[in-house]
Every structure is written in structure tokens, then in C-alpha cells.
Amino acid sequence: MGQLFNEDKELAEVIHQELLRQQSTLNLIASENYASRAVLEAASSLLTNKYSEGYIGHRYYSGNTLVDVVEGIAIERVKRLFNAEAANVQPHSGSQANMAAYFALLKLGDKIMGMNLEHGGHLTHGASINFSGKWYNIVSYGVEKETGKIDMSHVREIALREKPKLIVAGATAYPRELDFKAFSEIAKEVGAYLMVDMAHIAGLVAGHVHQSPVPYADIITSTTHKTLRGPRGAFILSSKAHAVLIDKAVFPGLQGGPLDHIIAAKAVAFREAMQPEFVAYAKQIVVNAKALAETLKERGLKLVSGGTDNHLMLIDITERGMSGGEAETILENSGITVNRNKIPFDPRPARDPSGIRLGTPALTTRGMKEPEMRAIGNTIADILILNYSESIIERAKKTVGKLCNDYPLYPHMEYH
Ligand code: DSN
């Protein structure tokens, strides 16, 4: 990175400051992670120079022999990782992957049944402010008020009544394991396609600590940068039967040239996720989430659904007399990053909702285990329960500093 510093000190300095921020804070944002140096190297490679619209062997530009090799490696690896028949590794983001899946299987105006954004679904699962809610006829399912969990018999009732053409299973803020088999039985019963958006849990699926959607879903979309710990991007898995439609939907349907450097970085991440260390990592994410959730509960904080089965949890924070936004800010002031989040049946607006969402993928990458999760849980509880005071914040900052020191991130990275 010496070159960047030599040529553009202004930008190099900002990236340097961001490195220091990542190194010196505890990241509990459930959808973030730290990509390996190898992934970062591939993502910043000269493959960014190439145009390669089209697919392997059928490009609209010359000079793509090696890009074909890169994309082929990525496709083969992700198919092997998830035991899938076909894969498209070109989607730039999870939203574009979901859009491509809808374009492939549906006509505009068709009925999609997805999880309510307010209950933990994603914008692209039918939110009225998103293309999905504007261009398709949306019906939603959610969690039960008493349990905070999805009741599959209720999902079935809605599906039987509404007869959607496609059911989306997947979430961004649901702390429980999704029952893909039950979703697929319901989809079959009503003659709907089943699409699983496994963006949040892809690393858990790869590490065999969450049921795989592959045997059950017609189409699976995912991002690569969350629990899967790759570069920012996405991919789509499907049966061979749907592959041609998916490919057409991605290109030329909605994207132009693929990001070949990012596809290379995805390939690196897929290989990493095949290693035994990754299986241990995925297991530890879940063990850590349970340890963190238990600590928060023991300290009297209220978790949506009472706990977690996966990598994340939601705290209903209004009980402590503050909003999600306020909790996010005071935690950030102590060096702990989380995101404010709606909780199911939230009376408060999305810009300042009743909850915060916490996840363990990033801290598990740093090597932290149950004792550290308990220390962090107690620190968070001190801040949220004992109210904002200088001495508590000072103590929290010390704990954060020590943990960041003991579990270093990118130790020899430099932008100066
Ligand atoms: N923004 C992502 C998340 O935080 O869950 C979903 O796209």
C-alpha cells in the first residue's frame, strides 16, 4: 500500500484511520466480518482492469481466457462447498442476486410471499419501499407475538390462502434456525417456487452448523461477506434446470460486466470455507452467540425469542428506558459497534427502533471464545443497565482495549 500513500495521502490516511478503527473496536454487527489477507489481495488485484460481459467461453470482449479460468474456479468451488448443481458467481450484491432470482422465475406482478421486514426479513423480500414491493404482489409472514419465532403452521395457512408463485425463506434479523424442509413442503403443496436467501447464515451452512437449503430450494441466493467471510458480493445456486434462466437474468438481464477481481476473491473465500478450520470457526460462532446471549439474559436484558440458534440476537432495549438508536450510540462511544434494529411488532420507527442486533461472526474471526463473550456481554449489560456514567464507560473502554490487544486484527497491515 506504499504506492497509495505516495500518490494519494489524503485517501490513504482515511483508510489508515479505518484500519485503526477496525483494530481497536469490538465489531458485533451481525452482517459484518473480517476477510482474510488472501481475500483482500485478490479483491485488490489487476483483474479489476478487465471487461468480461457474458459467461465462460462466451464473452463480449477478447482477452478473457484467464478470467474464464478464474470464474470457473469460483463456480466449481462454490458448487462443491454447498453441494449444488449450478452456480452464478457474478451478482454484485445480495439485492441484485434476489432481483435476478425474481426475474428468472416470475413475471412482474406475480405474488411473492416473504418474511416481513419488520419481523426480520430483508428489504428485497417484499418491502413496500423496495423494488420487490413495488413490482410484485407481496404477502408476508412473520413471527408469533408470544414466542418471537416463526410458526410453520401459520406460514402454511397464509400460503394456502394466498397461493404465492414464490416463497422466500431467509432473514436478516431472525435469531432462530429456519426449517427449510417445512418451507419446501409448503411450497410444493401450493405450487410455489422456494427461494432461500441464506446471506446471513451461508457460513453456518458451509460449516455444517445450520440445515442446508440446497436439497429443498429451487433457488438459493447469498452474499459472500457475512458469516461466509469473503469479499463484498453475492452468488446464486440452483438446479441445472433453472441455471439458464438465472444466468440470463443476471446478465444481460440486470448487470453489465462482472467484477472479476471480486469473483477471484470469492473463489479464495470458497476455498477457505472448505477447510476444517472453517468448520471449527462456524461452530464457534454459534457457541459464542449462545454464551453472549446467556450472559445478556442473566444480566436481565430481554432477547427477542428468548435467545439464539445462530450467529445473532436481538435485544429489546426499550425496557431499559432507551431507544435502539441511543443504545447504538452509547455502545459505539465505548468502542462496541452494533446496529439499531426493529424488533417484531415494534411501535417505534425504523430510524430509531426498539432494538439492537448483535452478532458474533467478526469477533469469532478474531479468535475470541466463550470467556471473551461473557466479558463482552457483561460490559454491554453494564453500559445498558447501569446507565450512562463516565466510570462505566471508562471501564468498558479498558475492557474493549484489552480484548482488541489480546486478539489483534490485521497485525502487519499498513496504509502509511
Ligand atoms: N444490510 C444487511 C444486514 O445488515 O443484515 C442485509 O442486507
Side-chain angles (χ1 to χ4, degrees):
M1 280 300 153
Q3 198 66 28
L4 179 61
F5 182 70
N6 287 341
E7 288 185 20
D8 191 339
K9 288 190 179 47
E10 185 184 8
L11 198 71
E13 179 56 27
V14 181
I15 298 175
H16 176 68
Q17 290 302 327
E18 174 61 10
L19 170 64
L20 297 183
R21 187 195 69 78
Q22 292 191 18
Q23 288 173 327
S24 62
T25 53
L26 294 178
N27 182 3
L28 283 149
I29 294 179
S31 50
E32 294 184 5
N33 212 329
Y34 304 114
S36 71
R37 296 295 297 264
V39 165
L40 296 182
E41 200 173 315
S44 66
S45 70
L46 49 70
L47 290 166
T48 194
N49 295 337
K50 196 67 199 96
Y51 247 124
S52 52
E53 280 163 315
Y55 289 102
I56 297 171
H58 305 280
R59 305 284 184 181
Y60 289 82
Y61 295 82
S62 62
N64 274 306
T65 313
L66 296 169
V67 161
D68 279 0
V69 176
V70 169
E71 190 164 335
I73 292 171
I75 289 171
E76 284 315 308
R77 286 182 183 173
V78 76
K79 278 165 51 183
R80 200 150 26 102
L81 179 62
F82 292 106
N83 201 16
E85 279 185 19
N88 186 308
V89 294
Q90 293 193 3
H92 303 330
S93 74
S95 292
Q96 277 163 304
N98 288 351
M99 190 188 255
Y102 299 158
F103 280 4
L105 297 181
L106 305 176
K107 294 195 300 298
L108 295 187
D110 278 349
K111 194 178 274 185
I112 295 177
M113 179 170 153
M115 187 153 172
N116 189 339
L117 177 67
E118 309 259 319
H119 290 207
H122 187 250
L123 280 168
T124 56
H125 299 173
S128 58
I129 47 172
N130 180 258
F131 83 90
S132 54
K134 290 184 200 291
W135 296 348
Y136 296 95
N137 184 1
I138 300 298
V139 49
S140 298
Y141 61 89
V143 300
E144 303 301 307
K145 198 162 191 177
E146 307 69 46
T147 60
K149 297 180 185 173
I150 298 170
D151 177 343
M152 291 310 295
S153 66
H154 198 189
V155 173
R156 179 169 175 265
E157 259 171 47
I158 301 171
L160 287 171
R161 187 177 66 233
E162 298 286 345
K163 299 263 181 303
K165 185 131 188 239
L166 180 140
I167 297 176
V168 184
T172 64
Y174 184 58
R176 298 296 175 177
E177 178 145 6
L178 292 163
D179 187 347
F180 297 132
K181 183 165 180 285
F183 271 107
S184 103
E185 284 163 4
I186 293 167
K188 281 202 181 78
E189 191 176 356
V190 302
Y193 293 114
L194 176 62
M195 178 185 122
V196 170
D197 177 345
M198 67 168 183
H200 260 263
I201 54 165
L204 306 186
V205 173
H208 315 296
V209 286
H210 193 294
Q211 184 184 26
S212 170
V214 172
Y216 305 109
D218 296 288
I219 291 191
I220 294 146
T221 61
S222 182
T223 51
T224 40
H225 49 275
K226 298 187 175 92
T227 48
L228 198 50
R229 210 166 56 181
R232 192 153 293 271
F235 63 91
I236 304 175
L237 305 176
S238 69
S239 62
K240 279 197 185 123
H242 293 307
V244 174
L245 286 174
I246 293 285
D247 286 352
K248 277 190 183 151
V250 174
F251 174 84
L254 68 97
Q255 289 188 178
L259 308 177
D260 297 314
H261 55 307
I262 298 298
I263 290 175
K266 289 175 192 175
V268 174
F270 298 147
R271 186 185 163 282
E272 288 176 356
M274 284 178 209
Q275 309 308 312
E277 299 80 26
F278 194 89
V279 174
Y281 165 65
K283 277 199 186 113
Q284 192 64 47
I285 291 176
V286 175
V287 169
N288 280 353
K290 284 198 195 310
L292 181 61
E294 282 311 314
T295 308
L296 296 170
K297 272 167 58 180
E298 279 160 22
R299 291 292 305 273
L301 289 164
K302 185 175 167 196
L303 300 192
V304 172
S305 87
T308 178
D309 296 332
N310 55 25
H311 62 300
L312 67 82
M313 64 215 71
L314 282 171
I315 304 178
D316 177 351
I317 200 65
T318 47
E319 290 225 323
R320 311 308 322 181
M322 68 175 82
S323 69
E326 285 164 339
E328 181 190 271
T329 303
I330 63 168
L331 288 170
E332 184 171 14
N333 290 343
S334 317
I336 298 173
T337 51
V338 304
N339 71 283
R340 62 187 181 277
N341 214 100
K342 279 211 145 196
I343 58 170
F345 308 98
D346 201 332
R348 297 182 60 89
R351 66 178 181 283
D352 193 10
S354 300
I356 51 173
R357 185 184 66 164
L358 277 60
T360 53
L363 295 186
T364 308
T365 293
R366 285 183 87 146
M368 295 184 201
K369 294 202 164 71
E370 297 96 303
E372 291 74 36
M373 293 303 120
R374 286 193 279 273
I376 293 166
N378 278 315
T379 302
I380 291 172
D382 286 347
I383 295 167
L384 298 182
I385 294 173
L386 303 178
N387 292 323
Y388 189 82
S389 81
E390 280 306 317
S391 63
I392 286 169
I393 300 301
E394 279 319 304
R395 201 167 71 202
K397 281 184 180 163
K398 272 200 189 121
T399 306
V400 170
K402 176 160 177 16
L403 286 168
C404 290
N405 225 31
D406 291 349
Y407 296 90
L409 175 71
Y410 301 134
H412 304 295
M413 190 177 273
E414 277 188 12
Y415 287 91
H416 266 175

